[in-house]
Amino acid sequence: MTVHKNTVLVLDCSEPERLAEFYAGLLGAEVQLSKDPDYVEVTNDSGVCLAVHRERDYIPPSWPRPEDSQQAHLRIMVARHDMDEAEREAVGLGARPIDTKDNNGPRDTRTYSDPAGHSFTLAAIPE
């Protein structure tokens, strides 16, 4: 029998509350502080969306890096007709565009870095 488990993606950064506020704004969620001042969760009605952890010697990732491969990124699915608005929201909250070509097709993807340097992609939901 398998023990019941929950999973959460945890992003490291130097300022967890600030990064949690970014993702809460982007995902329409709320920031949930914990007893651990170095750990903050972003939650919605379904539960925890992701968490943010303070890393004292944090160095932001660089994307793309020719010397090593990308380890992970967050893919945020958006209705194709909402892609432009989602892009405006992300940039307005502090995201930095990395690759935002607008291909207006079913494979429309736009890549950004969050305020701590993690990459994430807005991707059109296939219809």
Side-chain angles (χ1 to χ4, degrees):
M1 180 174 127
T2 303
V3 175
H4 177 75
K5 299 172 185 73
N6 289 323
T7 61
V8 62
L9 174 65
V10 179
L11 299 175
D12 291 334
C13 68
S14 60
E15 299 178 51
E17 288 183 46
R18 183 173 166 222
L19 190 59
E21 288 288 345
F22 168 81
Y23 279 108
L26 185 63
L27 300 172
E30 297 180 7
V31 172
Q32 180 70 44
L33 300 176
S34 75
K35 291 179 183 178
D36 179 348
D38 293 333
Y39 183 82
V40 181
E41 294 179 335
V42 178
T43 63
N44 63 18
D45 293 339
S46 301
V48 178
C49 299
L50 62 96
V52 184
H53 179 261
R54 182 185 328 274
E55 180 66 42
R56 303 265 182 234
D57 298 322
Y58 177 73
I59 298 171
S62 168
W63 184 90
R65 243 191 249 184
E67 64 273 9
D68 59 7
S69 64
Q70 179 178 348
Q71 299 299 309
H73 76 278
L74 189 61
R75 177 171 279 236
I76 301 170
M77 304 303 290
V78 179
R80 188 168 46 186
H81 64 274
D82 288 333
M83 286 291 286
D84 291 339
E85 181 62 26
E87 180 174 58
R88 284 189 287 276
E89 288 175 357
V91 172
L93 289 164
R96 293 180 307 276
I98 295 174
D99 181 4
T100 58
K101 61 184 175 296
D102 178 5
N103 62 20
N104 284 322
R107 296 180 189 210
D108 189 1
T109 59
R110 304 173 192 185
T111 304
Y112 308 84
S113 64
D114 69 22
H118 305 101
S119 64
F120 70 93
T121 301
L122 295 176
I125 298 170
E127 295 176 350

